C-alpha cells in the first residue's frame, strides 16, 4: 500500500478515534455515529487502495486527528488515560503479530461478519456482537489485557460491552495499519513534532 507521512498519521488517528469512541461509551453511554462508523468500517477493508480508503471517505478520522493533536499539545487538555489505551493497543498489536493462528482466526471472523453487515447494516447490534465475540476469542487471550474505566452503569450494559470490544478490535486494526505504513512506538517518543505537523496538515486538508 503506498504511503507517506499523511498516510501514517491517518492510521495513527484511526487508533485515537477508536479510543475516543470507547471512552465516550464507557463514561457517557453515548455512541457518535460519525466517530464509530469509520472504525467499524475499517475492519472489513482487507485490500484497500490506500490508507484513507481503509476508513471510508476522505477525512473520516478527523475526530481521531483532533484527539491526537490534543494529546500532543495539551490543548484543550491532555488525557493520560488516552495515552495508556494507545500504548496498550500498540503492544497488543505487536503481540498479535507473533500469533499467526490468531490473526488467521480474526481474518476468518471478519469474513464471516460480511453477511451480517450486508443483511443488518454496518452498525447493527448483531455486527457489534460478532466482533465482540471475535475480540474475546482472540485478542482477549493476549497480554496486555485492556481494562476499560468508566461508569459502572454503562460498563455493565451488554450492548455497551459489545461496542467497546468491537472498537478495541478496530483500534488494534488501526495500530496494525500504522505499523504497515511505517509507524512505530519510537515515533511517539521521538517524533512528536513531525506527528503534530502531519496531524495538523490532515485537518487543514479535510476539515478546512
Amino acid at each position: 500500500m503506498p504511503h507517506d507521512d499523511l498516510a501514517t498519521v491517518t492510521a495513527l488517528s484511526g487508533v485515537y478515534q477508536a479510543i475516543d469512541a470507547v471512552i465516550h461509551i464507557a463514561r457517557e453511554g453515548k455512541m457518535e455515529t460519525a466517530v464509530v462508523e469509520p472504525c467499524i468500517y475499517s475492519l472489513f477493508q482487507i485490500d484497500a487502495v490506500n490508507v484513507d480508503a481503509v476508513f471510508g471517505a476522505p477525512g473520516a478520522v478527523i475526530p481521531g486527528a483532533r484527539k491526537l493533536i490534543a494529546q500532543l499539545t495539551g490543548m484543550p487538555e491532555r488525557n493520560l488515560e488516552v495515552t495508556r489505551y494507545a500504548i496498550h493497543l500498540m503492544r497488543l498489536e505487536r503481540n498479535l503479530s507473533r500469533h499467526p493462528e490468531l490473526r488467521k482466526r480474526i481474518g476468518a471472523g471478519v469474513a464471516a461478519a460480511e453477511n451480517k453487515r450486508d443483511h443488518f447494516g454496518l452498525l447493527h447490534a448483531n455486527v457489534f456482537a460478532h466482533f465482540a465475540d471475535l475480540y474475546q476469542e482472540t485478542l482477549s487471550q493476549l497480554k496486555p489485557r485492556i481494562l476499560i474505566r468508566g461508569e459502572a452503569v454503562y460498563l455493565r450494559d451488554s450492548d455497551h460491552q459489545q461496542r467497546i470490544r468491537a472498537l478495541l478490535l478496530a483500534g488494534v486494526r488501526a495500530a496494525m495499519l500504522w505499523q504497515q505504513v511505517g509507524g512505530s512506538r519510537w515515533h511517539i517518543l521521538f517524533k512528536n513534532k513531525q506527528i503534530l505537523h502531519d496531524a495538523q496538515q490532515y485537518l487543514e486538508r479535510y476539515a478546512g
Side-chain angles (χ1 to χ4, degrees):
M1 181 183 297
H3 63 271
D4 53 18
D5 288 340
L6 203 60
T8 304
V9 84
T10 300
L12 185 58
S13 295
V15 175
Y16 280 80
Q17 187 148 318
I19 292 168
D20 190 38
V22 166
I23 289 174
H24 271 84
I25 294 170
R27 290 183 178 179
E28 303 172 23
K30 296 179 180 178
M31 184 182 77
E32 296 183 35
T33 299
V35 176
V36 172
E37 187 171 299
C39 300
I40 302 304
Y41 179 88
S42 72
L43 290 170
F44 292 98
Q45 308 312 304
I46 306 302
D47 297 312
V49 294
N50 55 45
V51 173
D52 260 346
V54 170
F55 299 101
V61 292
I62 285 173
R66 286 179 173 150
K67 181 62 66 174
L68 175 57
I69 290 171
Q71 288 299 107
L72 293 173
T73 65
M75 297 183 293
E77 65 178 353
R78 184 178 289 110
N79 186 337
L80 294 180
E81 187 176 20
V82 172
T83 300
R84 178 173 66 85
Y85 288 151
I87 291 172
H88 283 184
L89 285 175
M90 291 171 189
R91 288 177 58 197
L92 192 55
E93 185 278 327
R94 295 316 301 157
N95 199 359
L96 176 63
S97 69
R98 303 184 186 99
H99 293 81
E101 73 286 357
L102 291 183
R103 292 186 63 171
K104 186 176 180 180
R105 284 177 65 187
I106 290 173
V110 169
E114 292 178 355
N115 287 336
K116 294 183 179 180
R117 175 202 60 190
D118 294 342
H119 183 73
F120 296 108
L122 183 65
L123 300 186
H124 192 274
N126 287 352
V127 176
F128 282 114
H130 180 93
F131 282 129
D133 288 344
L134 185 59
Y135 178 87
Q136 286 190 293
E137 293 167 3
T138 56
L139 291 174
S140 68
Q141 309 303 313
L142 302 176
K143 294 182 179 180
R145 296 291 298 273
I146 301 178
L147 301 178
I148 302 300
R149 298 175 181 174
E151 297 295 326
V153 64
Y154 303 130
L155 293 177
R156 286 196 298 262
D157 183 275
S158 60
D159 287 340
H160 293 330
Q161 290 173 4
Q162 290 171 350
R163 291 167 180 167
I164 286 171
R165 289 176 183 133
L167 286 162
L168 291 175
L169 183 63
V172 171
R173 192 271 185 268
M176 182 181 300
L177 179 64
W178 185 55
Q179 292 277 350
Q180 290 171 342
V181 296
S184 76
R185 283 178 293 173
W186 295 110
H187 290 175
I188 297 292
L189 294 174
F190 300 115
K191 292 190 175 182
N192 282 354
K193 290 183 179 179
Q194 182 65 49
I195 293 172
L196 176 60
H197 173 268
D198 295 338
Q200 290 169 335
Q201 289 290 108
Y202 181 88
L203 290 186
E204 287 178 11
R205 173 176 292 188
Y206 295 120

